């Protein structure tokens, strides 16, 4: 035992000696190991931070070989510590930093550090670069930073600091870069911020700063870049900013600014970029801006500006971006704009401009994007608009006339072409074989003639094509139209098209076909069964003949089928009764004969779906003769009599059972069962027994509107929602539940049925096994999966808003109400439930009463707009893997470019320009959906069309 104690003592003494030596000769390594012990390092990024058993008895610092550590040439002093992008977390005590007296560069960026910023860092008096950007440091920014007297760069971008901006920062005489953007700093910008001596870059955007912008900022004679937008200031743009003689970049977008734009800003003769969009600025654009010769980007969109585009803008020879969209401007566009040699992006949509577009537009060989939609322009498209490789040409809702420029047909770079709602005429000159990148073409509501271009099937990337409402178009549907590899939407209604439908061979991706109000004839080809993605087919008001193809009933996603006002004959295929997706079936005004099949799908379509067919009978039309009901032809009286007697006996037995059940249930009333497609036939008692006890049904689920998982007698697992009813609201509630039950779409949770008595209802939904988006929002998904997720949510919401009549607002769109099936396809849950609960509570509000009438009043529109807003929020959360949890606050508090950079980083786009462009498109759709004024938000139908501009192959 004594030998053991002696040995232990020697080991302990040796270890203590080694530590003492290490501390004496290598304090840096010990300090860094202490720092490591405070960190959360899930990726083991600091694995090489370790000391050998023998310690370090030399003069060199062991840590100089560790990742992120930089030393002087002799490896005796640590001069830089770079822990950026190592996925580290935890709170820093700062006690270790007293050792690093020679530290020049300290970088903690792109990690998840939290808590207070340690004040010990402010003792590093030799520090020149201090970068803590993209972390989660919180609380007030601590005092003492003036101690970093040699600091050149202070980057605290994208943290969670709160309170006032630190007023002592301007005491840093050598500071050149200051980035305090993307936190929660409040209060006004300190007037002291006008006293920096060496500052070149200042970024305060994306906080919750208020007050007026201090005129003292005009004293910053060395600043070249200033971003202070995405806050909520009072007042306007101080004219004193025009004294910032070196300024090249000024961004005060999204900042609640009002009043006119100071003409003195024209004194900023070195300015290259000016962004004042998304404010409330009024008045006209100062013509003096033409004096800013280097100006390359000017975005004044989304304000309340009026008046014309200054003619003097023709002098801005370096201008690449001119965005004046969404204002109240008028007048004509000066011809000189078309001669700007550098112009790439020209955006004027949603104003009151008139006259013709400059005929020189595009001749500079650089123009890429033109959007002048929703104005009052007239005349023709400039002949050379595509000379420089135009990508987007958007001219809809104007008064353009004449033929399309022949240059459009040779515009091989074109991706989107939208010229609907004008008065263009003549033949369509598009040559799809020469448009390899085109994805979206809308030529509807014009006066085109000469038919659809015959080579449409050669458009290898075309997804959306709309030529509807061109009454003089004529011609036939080209033979290989459906074989266009990515085509999803094809609309050619009211175009006087004749001939037969071409075969549907190779119809892989088509989802919507609209051909109503034409002169099409013949039968619908049986090959329509190849269109497995088909959701909507509208062939109404044509001259089709023959039987309705049974193949249509086999399409898994078909939700809308309108064959009305044709000459179809024969029976109504009973196979439609097995469809789980069919929402609208209209065969009215044909020559359909026989009885309407008895399945619920047919009865729920209503009488209007079948009228105008004299040979058709059965509910909801007039009853059929007994022989047709029983046999579909002449039957024998004896067999009929026997069957009727048997049926009567069955009815008597069922009535007896129900009577007994009614007595058991007493005053609470008889339970009734309403089933929709997808639920096997069984009674309400079967449903109730599946909870465990028919005597205590009201206790499961325990609370009204709560949801539980239940296994039915057949073994099917369903979700059950309990709703308390009032007798006087019973009829309205069950009618509304029936409306929800027939709303079938691949991205909606199916309502399978409901059972109810006078006090309660249990609503049965499909059970989805893979949880909700709320549980999976932080999962890393590739970009393709994210796009499919966004598109699925958009399709479900679009169906509720535009394919249901009356429209059904979701009312409670959030991550937890988006569920995944076994294939991880998203399904919207709880749609309409908010209003059902209001209804069952006996609400007498105008919201409920008007909704029940189906009137699309202002209340309904507000609810639909709120759905759109929530959709935009969810899209941002998906793009950011849940980091933008308060999406509404984020877009108000952070510049668009900052948000995009964060999203690119989250999606690891790297240098992929194509992926970044696609993400940007989806991001911009989200921002449109989240516009502050509900009337400015797109409909979900328009949002879905915009999403179709993304090139990814999602099917």
């Amino acid at each position: 035992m004594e030998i053991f104690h002696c040995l232990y003592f020697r080991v302990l003494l040796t270890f203590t000696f080694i530590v003492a030596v290490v501390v004496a000769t290598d304090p840096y390594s010990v300090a860094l190991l202490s720092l490591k012990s405070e960190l959360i390092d899930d990726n083991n990024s600091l694995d090489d931070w370790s000391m050998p058993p023998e310690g370090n008895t030399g003069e060199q610092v062991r840590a100089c070989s560790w990742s992120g550590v930089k030393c002087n040439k002799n490896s005796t002093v640590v001069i830089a510590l770079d822990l950026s992008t190592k996925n580290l977390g935890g709170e820093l005590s700062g006690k270790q930093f007293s050792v690093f007296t020679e530290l020049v560069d300290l970088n903690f960026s792109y990690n998840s550090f939290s808590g207070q910023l340690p004040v010990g860092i402010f003792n590093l008096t030799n520090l020149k670069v201090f970068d803590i950007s993209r972390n989660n440091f919180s609380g007030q920014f601590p005092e003492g930073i003036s101690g970093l007297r040699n600091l050149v760069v202070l980057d605290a971008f994208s943290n969670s600091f709160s309170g006032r901006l630190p007023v002592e920062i301007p005491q840093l005489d050598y500071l050149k870069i200051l980035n305090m953007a993307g936190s929660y700093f409040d209060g006004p910008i300190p007037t002291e911020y006008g006293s920096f001596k060496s500052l070149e870059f200042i970024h305060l955007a994306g906080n919750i700063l208020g007050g007026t912008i201090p005129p003292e900022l005009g004293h910053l004679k060395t600043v070249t870049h200033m971003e202070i937008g995405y806050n909520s200031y009072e007042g306007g743009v101080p004219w004193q900013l025009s004294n910032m003689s070196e300024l090249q970049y000024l961004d005060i977008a999204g900042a609640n600014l009002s009043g006119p734009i100071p003409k003195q800003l024209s004194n900023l003769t070195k300015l290259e970029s000016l962004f004042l969009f998304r404010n409330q600025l009024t008045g006209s654009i100062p013509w003096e801006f033409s004096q800013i010769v280097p100006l390359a980007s000017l975005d004044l969109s989304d304000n309340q500006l009026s008046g014309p585009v200054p003619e003097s803008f023709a002098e801005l020879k370096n201008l690449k971006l001119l965005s004046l969209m969404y204002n109240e401007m008028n007048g004509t566009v000066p011809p000189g704009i078309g001669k700007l040699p550098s112009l790439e992006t020209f955006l004027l949509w949603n104003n009151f401009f008139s006259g013709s577009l400059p005929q020189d537009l595009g001749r500079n060989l650089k123009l890429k994007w033109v959007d002048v939609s929703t104005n009052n322009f007239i005349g023709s498209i400039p002949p050379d608009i595509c000379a420089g490789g135009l990508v987007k040409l958007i001219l809809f809702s104007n008064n353009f006339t004449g033929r399309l420029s022949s240059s459009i047909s040779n515009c091989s770079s074109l991706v989107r072409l939208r010229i609907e709602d004008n008065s263009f005429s003549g033949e369509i000159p598009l040559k799809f074989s020469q448009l390899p990148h085109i994805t979206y073409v809308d030529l509807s509501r014009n006066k085109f003639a000469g038919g659809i271009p015959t080579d449409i099937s050669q458009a290898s990337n075309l997804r959306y094509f709309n030529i509807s409402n061109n009454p003089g178009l004529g011609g036939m549907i080209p033979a290989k139209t459906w074989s266009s590899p990515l085509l999803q939407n094809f609309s050619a209604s009211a175009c006087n098209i004749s001939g037969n439908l071409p075969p549907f061979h190779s119809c892989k991706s088509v989802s919507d076909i609209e051909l109503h109000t034409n002169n099409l004839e013949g039968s619908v080809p049986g090959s329509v069964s190849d269109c497995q993605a088909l959701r909507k087919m509208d062939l109404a008001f044509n001259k089709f003949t023959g039987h309705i193809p049974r193949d249509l009933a086999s399409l898994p996603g078909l939700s809308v089928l309108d064959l009305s006002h044709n000459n179809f004959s024969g029976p109504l295929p009973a196979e439609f009764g097995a469809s789980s997706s069919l929402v609208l079936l209209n065969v009215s005004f044909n020559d359909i004969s026989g009885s309407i099949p008895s399945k619920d799908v047919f009865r729920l379509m209503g009488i209007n779906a079948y009228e105008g067919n004299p040979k058709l009978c059965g509910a909801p039309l007039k009853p059929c003769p007994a022989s047709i009901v029983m046999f579909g032809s002449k039957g024998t009286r004896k067999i009929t009599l026997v069957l009727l007697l048997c049926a009567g006996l069955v009815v008597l037995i069922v009535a007896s059972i129900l009577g007994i059940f009614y007595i058991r249930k007493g005053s609470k009333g008889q339970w009734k069962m309403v089933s929709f497609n997808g639920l096997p036939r069984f009674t309400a008692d079967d449903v109730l027994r599946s909870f465990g006890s028919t005597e205590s049904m009201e206790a499961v689920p325990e609370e009204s509107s709560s949801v539980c998982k239940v296994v039915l007698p057949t073994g099917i697992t369903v979700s059950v929602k309990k709703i308390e009813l009032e007798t006087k609201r019973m009829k309205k509630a069950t009618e509304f539940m029936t409306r929800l039950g027939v709303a079938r779409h691949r991205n909606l949770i199916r309502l399978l049925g409901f059972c109810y008595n006078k006090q309660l209802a249990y609503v049965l939904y499909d059970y989805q096994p893979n949880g909700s988006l709320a549980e999976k929002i932080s999962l890393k998904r590739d970009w393709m999966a994210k796009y499919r997720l966004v598109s699925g949510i958009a399709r479900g919401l679009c169906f509720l808003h535009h394919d249901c009549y009356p429209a059904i607002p979701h009312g409670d769109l959030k991550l937890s109400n988006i569920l995944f099936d076994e294939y991880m396809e998203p399904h919207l849950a709880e749609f309409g439930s908010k209003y059902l609960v209001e209804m069952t509570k006996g609400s007498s509000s105008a919201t409920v009463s008007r909704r029940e009438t189906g009137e699309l009043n202002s209340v309904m529109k507000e609810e639909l707009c709120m759905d759109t807003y929530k959709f935009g929020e969810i899209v941002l959360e998906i793009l950011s893997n849940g980091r933008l949890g308060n999406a509404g606050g984020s877009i108000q508090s952070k510049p668009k470019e900052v948000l995009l950079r964060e999203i690119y980083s989250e999606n690891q786009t790297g240098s992929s320009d194509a992926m970044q462009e696609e993400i940007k498109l989806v991001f911009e759709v989200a921002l449109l959906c989240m516009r502050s004024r509900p009337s400015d938000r797109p409909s979900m139908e328009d949002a879905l069309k915009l999403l179709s501009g993304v090139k990814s192959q999602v099917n």
Side-chain angles (χ1 to χ4, degrees):
M1 182 63 71
E2 289 181 1
I3 295 174
F4 175 77
H5 279 295
C6 182
L7 181 61
Y8 175 79
F9 178 75
R10 288 183 178 180
V11 170
L12 181 62
L13 185 63
T14 302
F15 178 76
T16 304
F17 174 75
I18 291 173
V19 170
V21 170
V22 171
V23 171
T25 62
D26 192 359
Y28 298 108
S29 299
V30 174
L32 288 175
L33 288 175
S34 173
L35 175 63
K36 178 182 177 181
S37 69
E38 296 178 356
L39 304 181
I40 299 171
D41 184 8
D42 293 335
N43 290 353
N44 298 318
S45 302
L46 304 181
D47 256 6
D48 61 333
W49 284 27
S50 61
M51 293 289 289
E54 68 275 9
N56 185 25
T57 56
E59 292 184 1
Q60 291 188 336
V61 175
R62 182 75 183 185
C64 291
S65 62
W66 296 352
S67 59
V69 180
K70 183 179 179 181
C71 297
N72 61 359
K73 291 182 179 180
N74 299 324
S75 296
T76 57
V77 177
V78 175
I79 60 173
L81 181 59
D82 184 359
L83 301 183
S84 61
T85 62
K86 293 186 181 297
N87 196 31
L88 301 173
E91 298 188 16
L92 306 178
S93 68
K95 62 185 180 182
Q96 305 88 354
F97 292 109
S98 59
V99 174
F100 298 94
T101 55
E102 302 300 319
L103 201 66
V104 175
D105 190 335
L106 180 58
N107 190 342
F108 288 154
S109 63
Y110 288 93
N111 284 293
S112 299
F113 294 120
S114 57
Q116 292 272 350
L117 183 67
V119 294
I121 293 175
F122 297 158
N123 295 320
L124 305 176
T125 55
N126 287 306
L127 201 63
K128 292 184 178 180
V129 177
F130 183 34
D131 189 347
I132 54 172
S133 61
R134 292 177 174 84
N135 280 285
N136 196 31
F137 289 110
S138 58
Q140 292 195 341
F141 198 91
E143 296 181 0
I145 193 169
S146 59
L148 302 179
R149 54 181 179 269
N150 291 302
L151 199 63
V152 176
V153 176
L154 173 56
D155 191 346
F157 172 75
S158 190
N159 277 278
S160 298
F161 292 114
S162 56
R164 302 301 176 94
L165 287 168
V167 296
E168 56 183 318
I169 294 181
Q171 298 175 29
L172 302 172
D173 291 345
Y174 301 105
L175 193 68
K176 291 185 177 182
I177 296 175
L178 173 63
N179 192 342
M180 306 293 280
S183 273
Y184 301 98
F185 290 112
D186 57 21
I189 298 174
T191 56
E192 290 86 349
Y193 277 36
S195 62
F196 285 102
K197 295 181 179 179
S198 306
L199 198 66
E200 298 176 359
F201 179 102
I202 180 170
H203 191 357
L204 308 176
N207 286 287
I208 47 178
L209 300 172
T212 57
I213 297 175
E216 287 81 0
L217 294 181
H219 298 151
L220 298 174
K221 304 291 187 180
T222 57
V223 169
T224 61
H225 185 115
M226 183 164 77
E227 294 183 60
I228 58 174
Y230 294 92
N231 286 291
S232 188
Y233 303 116
E234 300 171 3
V237 181
W239 66 266
Q240 289 88 348
L241 298 185
S242 62
N243 294 323
M244 301 174 68
S245 54
E246 296 298 316
L247 198 62
Q248 299 173 18
Y249 187 104
L250 177 59
D251 186 344
I252 324 180
N256 196 42
L257 298 173
S258 57
I261 301 174
K263 64 181 180 181
Q264 292 91 337
L265 293 183
S266 61
N267 294 329
L268 300 172
T269 54
K270 294 185 178 181
L271 196 66
E272 297 176 3
S273 299
L274 177 59
F275 299 109
L276 298 175
F277 58 86
R278 204 180 300 168
N279 282 292
Q280 300 175 46
L281 299 171
T282 55
S284 58
I285 301 173
W287 64 267
E288 291 88 349
F289 276 12
S290 60
Q291 299 171 16
I292 311 176
V293 176
L295 194 62
S297 298
L298 178 61
D299 192 340
L300 306 177
S301 60
D302 201 357
N303 280 285
Q304 299 168 28
L305 299 173
S306 56
V309 178
E311 292 192 15
S312 60
F313 274 21
E315 301 173 25
L316 295 172
K317 304 301 183 184
N318 293 297
L319 197 63
K320 296 180 179 180
L321 164 68
L322 178 58
S323 178
L324 306 176
M325 63 186 187
Y326 223 90
N327 279 288
E328 298 171 7
M329 299 181 68
N330 54 28
T332 59
V333 178
I337 296 295
K339 298 179 181 180
L340 291 174
S342 303
L343 191 64
E344 296 176 359
T345 303
F346 184 49
L347 309 176
L348 300 181
W349 67 276
N350 212 342
N351 278 283
F352 300 97
F353 289 113
S354 56
S356 300
L357 288 177
Q359 291 301 293
D360 291 323
L361 198 62
R363 287 181 185 168
N364 65 358
L365 304 181
K366 293 185 178 178
L367 195 62
K368 295 294 186 291
W369 184 358
V370 175
D371 188 343
V372 299
S373 57
T374 318
N375 280 284
N376 297 307
F377 285 112
I378 60 173
S380 59
I381 299 176
D384 300 313
I385 198 166
C386 196
L390 193 68
V391 174
K392 298 179 183 179
L393 179 59
I394 304 176
L395 311 177
F396 66 83
S397 297
N398 279 285
N399 298 307
F400 289 110
T401 55
R403 296 174 176 268
L404 282 186
S405 168
S406 58
S407 65
I408 300 295
S409 63
N410 299 317
C411 193
S412 60
S413 56
L414 202 59
V415 172
R416 292 177 72 84
L417 175 63
R418 295 191 62 183
I419 59 173
E420 69 267 28
D421 193 17
N422 280 286
S423 296
F424 288 111
S425 57
E427 293 188 2
I428 300 170
L430 299 181
K431 296 178 181 178
F432 285 104
S433 58
Q434 299 178 18
L435 300 173
H437 305 295
I438 196 78
T439 65
Y440 193 107
V441 175
D442 196 335
L443 313 177
S444 62
R445 289 173 286 165
N446 279 286
K447 300 177 181 178
F448 286 114
I452 299 170
T454 56
D455 66 342
I456 187 173
S457 61
Q458 297 183 42
S460 57
N461 281 295
L462 185 64
R463 288 168 170 79
Y464 182 96
F465 180 78
N466 190 349
I467 191 68
S468 296
N469 296 104
N470 282 275
L473 183 69
M476 302 172 68
I477 299 174
K480 297 182 179 180
T481 297
W482 317 124
S483 62
S484 184
L486 299 178
L487 185 65
Q488 296 174 5
N489 294 71
F490 182 86
S491 299
S493 298
C495 288
N496 198 28
I497 296 173
S498 57
N500 298 332
L501 280 178
F504 288 94
H505 300 306
S506 303
C507 176
K508 296 178 180 178
S509 56
V510 178
S511 61
D512 289 60
I513 297 175
E514 296 183 357
L515 293 169
H516 68 78
T517 321
N518 282 294
N519 293 308
L520 293 165
E521 56 190 8
S523 59
V524 177
S527 56
V528 71
S529 60
D530 288 357
C531 300
Q532 290 293 297
L534 194 64
R535 296 184 299 111
K536 178 179 181 180
M537 175 177 270
D538 187 351
L539 305 180
F541 291 94
N542 279 284
K543 300 176 181 178
F544 288 109
T545 56
H547 288 195
I548 298 173
R550 299 179 185 276
D551 307 86
L552 281 170
S554 68
L555 299 176
L558 187 65
S559 59
V560 175
L561 178 62
D562 193 343
L563 306 177
S564 62
H565 294 272
N566 279 284
N567 298 311
F568 287 108
S569 58
L572 192 58
E575 288 81 357
F576 283 116
S579 173
S580 61
S581 58
L582 196 61
V583 174
L584 187 150
L585 173 65
N586 191 346
V587 296
S588 61
F589 298 97
N590 279 281
D591 193 25
I592 307 297
S593 58
S595 63
I596 298 173
S598 60
K599 299 287 186 180
D600 286 346
V601 168
F602 295 100
R603 290 204 305 272
L604 291 170
M605 297 302 164
I607 192 170
N608 293 337
Y610 307 107
E611 63 182 345
N613 289 282
K615 302 174 185 176
L616 191 63
C617 60
L621 298 179
K622 64 181 184 296
C624 292
S627 59
I628 295 180
V629 173
M630 293 295 176
F631 307 106
S633 60
K634 293 182 180 181
T636 66
R637 293 182 179 272
K638 289 183 179 181
I639 294 177
T640 300
L641 183 59
V642 170
L643 290 176
L644 287 174
L645 287 172
C646 291
L649 183 60
V650 171
V651 169
L652 182 60
I653 293 171
V654 171
S656 301
I657 295 172
L658 292 177
I660 294 170
F661 185 75
Y662 178 81
I663 292 171
R664 287 179 60 195
K665 298 308 293 181
S667 61
K668 295 176 182 177
Q670 178 182 359
W671 285 95
K672 297 180 181 179
M673 183 76 203
V674 176
S675 297
F676 302 110
N677 264 345
L679 191 66
R681 298 297 181 192
F682 42 77
T683 67
D685 196 37
D686 290 329
V687 176
L688 299 175
R689 281 190 292 104
S690 66
F691 293 140
S693 170
T694 57
E695 299 300 324
S696 59
M697 289 308 100
E698 294 79 1
V700 182
E702 293 183 358
E703 298 179 1
S704 182
S705 298
S706 61
V707 179
C708 71
K709 172 184 170 184
V710 168
V711 179
L712 297 177
T714 58
I716 297 174
T717 303
V718 298
S719 295
V720 179
K721 183 183 185 74
K722 175 183 175 182
I723 298 176
E724 296 177 355
L725 299 174
E726 288 187 8
T727 304
K728 62 182 180 181
R729 306 291 298 177
M730 176 77 68
K731 185 173 184 296
K732 294 293 185 183
T734 55
E735 287 177 354
F736 188 69
M737 282 190 280
T738 300
R739 277 186 57 205
L740 298 181
V742 298
R744 296 297 174 87
H745 187 272
R746 63 182 292 187
N747 296 110
L748 297 181
I749 292 290
R750 289 191 306 173
L751 193 159
L752 301 175
F754 59 94
C755 60
Y756 65 100
N757 63 11
K758 291 182 179 180
Q759 295 181 359
L760 293 172
Y762 292 110
V763 187
L764 282 64
Y765 297 92
D766 264 340
Y767 174 73
Q768 299 299 340
N770 280 322
S772 71
L773 183 55
E775 301 163 354
K776 304 179 186 301
I777 188 64
S778 60
L779 291 180
K780 299 292 184 182
R781 298 180 176 87
D782 61 29
W783 168 234
M784 186 81 72
K786 286 186 177 182
Y787 178 75
R788 287 174 176 160
L789 176 55
V790 169
S791 297
I793 297 168
R795 284 194 298 267
L797 207 53
C798 181
F799 176 82
L800 290 173
H801 288 196
H802 300 285
D803 291 328
C804 295
Y805 182 80
I808 301 176
H810 188 288
D812 193 20
L813 191 63
K814 55 188 178 183
L815 299 182
S816 58
N817 283 336
I818 298 170
L819 307 181
F820 294 101
D821 62 17
E822 61 271 25
Y823 305 108
M824 297 307 293
E825 179 79 13
H827 297 259
L828 304 187
E830 297 290 308
F831 57 90
S833 292
K834 171 186 173 183
Y835 313 115
L836 181 59
V837 171
E838 288 178 7
M839 199 177 295
T840 56
K841 287 181 179 178
S843 171
S844 58
S845 68
T847 304
V848 173
S849 61
R850 290 179 187 174
R851 187 182 298 108
E852 291 168 1
T853 66
E855 178 188 356
L856 191 61
N857 50 68
S858 59
V859 177
M860 174 72 81
K861 289 179 181 177
E862 287 175 7
E863 293 166 351
L864 298 177
C865 286
M866 181 51 67
D867 277 356
T868 304
Y869 184 90
K870 293 292 185 183
F871 170 73
E873 285 192 319
I874 287 172
V875 172
L876 289 188
E877 290 199 63
I878 293 170
L879 292 180
S880 65
N881 296 326
R883 288 177 65 93
L884 295 177
N886 178 23
S890 297
I891 65 170
Q892 294 298 325
S893 63
K894 289 186 178 181
K896 171 181 170 181
E897 291 75 13
V898 173
L899 286 172
L900 262 178
R901 284 198 295 270
E902 291 180 4
I903 289 171
Y904 291 156
S905 176
E906 285 290 336
N907 290 276
Q908 300 178 340
T909 59
S911 59
S912 172
D913 292 338
M915 186 185 297
Q916 288 189 3
E917 178 63 23
E918 292 168 5
I919 290 174
K920 184 179 180 183
L921 258 174
V922 176
F923 174 75
E924 288 175 343
V925 172
L927 294 189
L928 282 174
C929 292
M930 295 176 65
R931 297 181 73 94
S932 56
R933 288 182 291 188
S935 59
D936 295 344
R937 298 170 197 158
S939 67
M940 281 309 303
E941 187 173 40
D942 288 337
L944 192 56
K945 288 180 180 178
L946 290 170
L947 287 171
S948 71
V950 177
K951 294 183 180 179
S952 297
Q953 297 185 21
V954 297
N955 289 319

